[in-house]
Amino acid sequence: MPGRGFQIASVFIRRGLLAALSSGFGLLGTEKRRTSFARQMRMACEELGPTFIKLGQLASVRPDIFRAQTVFELERLQDSVPSIPVERVLKVIEEEFGAHPDELFVEFDRNPLASASIAQVHRAKLAHPARTTGGKELPAGTDIVVKVVKPGIEDVIEADLAFARRIAEVVSKAGLSRRIDLVGTLDEFGDSLRSEIDLRNEGRVADRFGFDFREDPLVVVPGMVWSRSTRRVLTMEFVEGWRLTDLTEAERTGVDAYGLALHGAEVFMRQVLVLGRFHADLHPANLFVTPDSRICYLDFGIVGRTEPAQRIAIAQVLAATVYGDADRAIRYSGELGLHIPKDKRAIVRDRVAELMGKTIGRKGNSDIRGFAVGFLSILGEFEIKIPAGYGLLVKALVTVDGVSRSIYPDIDIAKAARPYATRLIAQEMLRPARIYQKVPDVMRSVIRVIAE
């Protein structure tokens, strides 16, 4: 694919030169240089299409690898591309089921609901009764949503990944990338991308999320219709509502916006601190607000995980952050793998405290995004390695802040999180198993004897 290879190389070279020019070839300062390169990298991904848009989005959830400016610039990548003719979508459905789409769907809207880099989404109606994973019966004629992988996209992605890997090998051998293992990172991203193309993975995660929040009346997850789903087709319930990106002031006033924003933040903290798995691609386009004031979660392609041993430390870091306690935040960050050398600990602590003072307000004006960018930049400045899960968590907090503000613009997520974080830590500290771990060995022996 030499023509494509030339195109990829020329786009990155041109964008690199533009970044160098706009930053005065580095003479305008480090911040300006990094911001310029991040912007041009995002524009290069948009120019090169599906594979690079997805790679950019995956990179945007890895602040442990890329600089804060790059992470937050790539977050702006819009996964919305021109749609393909519906006939090509229907052909994929026919190939997957061995049946004409008319036999599966009594209606199939020719106009897509959304068209992203990998898949296209259409509204349709079931031709026959079906059930969701949870056993909900859907009669014939029920509105559903059909997500279909675009034909040929796998070949395009594999060709682009192969070329990108060759470039990464050349760069690595030349010693031009000491900060990042380019080849290893690209292979990791390639695996994530291949997993995302198999829509069954997304369906399984959605089912699990729905099960986790089955008793929460304010959370909606569309039920998967597995009898109409395959590797390249995912069928799910249709949910009426407004995307957060489309939520107008009039619609916002019709729902309990503050309560919904607050609850959305608590749902996220429950995922991270209680369940140990969280939606890591929470941006406004992946969320609906329903007319009856509930939040509908969509698109579970990227998921983060936390281990049981990490959760209390995460809760402590979160609480310390929202209360503006730099000492405590740094101390518990160590339990999450953030190692700050002794000779740098005092200066890092002072810088973080200063940053907290500027960004985490106590009067309802916290700047979570500013804090996250500044915090990750401080770690990068002192060449402190950021553990993968830790960086993702910091960025996820920013995302939740952004999502909450999309629902209720005046919400202060730091202030809202304080009582929840405090309550959670208290519950964890009083857990019998934890108390048992803390008592001396001799007392534990006595307890065991009594229990026998």
Side-chain angles (χ1 to χ4, degrees):
M1 206 172 179
R4 177 62 172 168
F6 177 77
Q7 182 191 11
I8 294 170
S10 62
V11 166
F12 275 111
I13 291 171
R14 175 164 48 82
R15 291 291 176 186
L17 289 173
L18 287 172
L21 186 63
S22 63
S23 64
F25 294 92
L27 297 176
L28 298 180
T30 302
E31 183 64 26
K32 178 70 176 174
R33 175 171 53 81
R34 289 177 181 172
T35 302
S36 297
F37 273 94
R39 184 180 302 117
Q40 292 299 330
M41 181 181 288
R42 190 252 303 163
M43 295 172 77
C45 290
E46 290 174 341
E47 193 173 338
L48 289 169
T51 307
F52 289 87
I53 289 174
K54 295 307 299 184
L55 288 175
Q57 289 175 331
L58 289 169
S60 77
V61 295
R62 294 301 303 272
D64 55 310
I65 297 177
F66 299 96
R67 296 191 186 282
Q69 294 84 352
T70 304
V71 164
F72 290 105
E73 183 67 32
L74 293 179
E75 189 183 51
R76 298 175 57 202
L77 278 171
Q78 295 296 307
D79 198 5
S80 178
V81 300
S83 60
I84 61 173
V86 69
E87 286 74 17
R88 297 182 66 192
V89 172
L90 295 174
K91 189 169 185 298
V92 172
I93 294 173
E94 188 165 0
E95 289 171 356
E96 289 296 294
F97 290 97
H100 193 277
D102 287 349
E103 299 176 33
L104 307 171
F105 308 110
V106 69
E107 284 183 25
F108 197 93
D109 194 336
R110 297 182 64 82
N111 298 312
L113 288 172
S115 178
S117 52
I118 288 179
Q120 189 156 301
V121 179
H122 288 259
R123 187 171 177 174
K125 290 181 184 293
L126 284 172
H128 307 285
R131 287 178 183 270
T132 64
T133 309
K136 182 179 178 182
E137 291 188 20
L138 304 178
T142 299
D143 285 317
I144 38 93
V145 171
V146 186
K147 185 172 185 176
V148 180
V149 172
K150 291 181 174 176
I153 195 67
E154 289 155 300
D155 293 338
V156 172
I157 287 174
E158 289 300 334
D160 282 356
L161 283 174
F163 181 80
R165 198 179 195 284
R166 288 199 295 276
I167 296 293
E169 288 172 345
V170 171
V171 171
S172 297
K173 286 178 181 174
L176 298 177
S177 175
R178 295 188 181 89
R179 178 180 165 81
I180 306 170
D181 173 11
L182 272 182
V183 176
T185 302
L186 193 60
D187 287 345
E188 182 185 334
F189 285 176
D191 290 342
S192 296
L193 201 46
R194 293 181 189 102
S195 172
E196 197 171 340
I197 291 173
D198 186 341
L199 297 180
R200 294 172 297 187
N201 294 323
E202 179 185 335
R204 293 185 193 106
V205 176
D207 273 345
R208 181 71 214 194
F209 190 96
F211 179 79
D212 288 340
F213 289 92
R214 62 193 179 284
E215 294 179 353
D216 189 327
L218 296 181
V219 172
V220 182
V221 180
M224 299 296 121
V225 184
W226 286 106
S227 62
R228 292 292 176 266
S229 299
T230 65
R231 188 174 65 86
R232 294 197 293 168
V233 177
L234 186 64
T235 301
M236 66 195 84
E237 289 179 284
F238 176 80
V239 177
E240 193 79 54
W242 308 282
R243 284 186 186 273
L244 294 195
T245 46
D246 302 329
L247 195 62
T248 65
E249 187 60 34
E251 288 154 348
R252 194 177 287 117
T253 55
V255 298
D256 177 12
Y258 180 76
L260 213 52
L262 193 59
H263 191 71
E266 290 189 359
V267 166
F268 171 74
M269 286 187 275
R270 188 179 163 206
Q271 293 174 66
V272 173
L273 301 172
V274 179
L275 300 171
R277 48 186 172 271
F278 57 96
H279 193 313
D281 193 22
L282 267 186
H283 56 73
N286 283 342
L287 292 162
F288 274 87
V289 172
T290 66
D292 58 351
S293 293
R294 297 188 294 166
I295 302 179
C296 177
Y297 291 78
L298 301 171
D299 200 340
F300 294 82
I302 306 175
V303 179
R305 297 188 186 280
T306 54
E307 298 300 324
Q310 295 176 310
R311 290 173 207 156
I312 186 64
I314 292 172
Q316 294 281 10
V317 172
L318 179 63
T321 301
V322 299
Y323 279 104
D325 186 341
D327 282 323
R328 192 180 182 86
I330 288 175
R331 185 166 74 250
Y332 280 98
S333 293
E335 294 188 16
L336 295 171
L338 190 75
H339 174 67
I340 303 175
K342 280 185 180 178
D343 61 326
K344 297 177 180 175
R345 203 165 293 168
I347 182 67
V348 169
R349 183 259 169 223
D350 290 346
R351 293 282 299 279
V352 171
E354 182 185 2
L355 179 66
M356 282 180 167
K358 290 178 181 175
T359 56
I360 309 295
R362 290 187 176 275
K363 296 181 180 178
N365 57 352
S366 298
D367 177 10
I368 294 290
R369 186 184 182 87
F371 170 74
V373 173
F375 181 60
L376 294 175
S377 296
I378 289 171
L379 297 181
E381 181 184 337
F382 288 96
E383 298 183 340
I384 295 166
K385 187 176 180 181
I386 305 170
Y390 189 85
L392 185 56
L393 192 68
V394 172
K395 184 176 176 296
L397 184 62
V398 176
T399 305
V400 169
D401 180 62
V403 167
S404 299
R405 288 181 189 278
S406 297
I407 302 173
Y408 190 82
D410 294 331
I411 194 170
D412 180 349
I413 206 66
K415 182 180 177 183
R418 283 171 196 152
Y420 186 89
T422 304
R423 189 167 65 247
L424 192 77
I425 290 172
Q427 289 171 350
E428 179 63 25
M429 290 300 182
L430 295 174
R431 208 159 45 86
R434 185 175 180 81
I435 294 172
Y436 180 75
Q437 287 177 347
K438 295 292 182 185
V439 301
D441 289 343
V442 63
M443 287 296 294
R444 272 191 260 181
S445 300
V446 171
I447 293 171
R448 277 199 295 270
V449 169
I450 294 172
E452 289 171 0

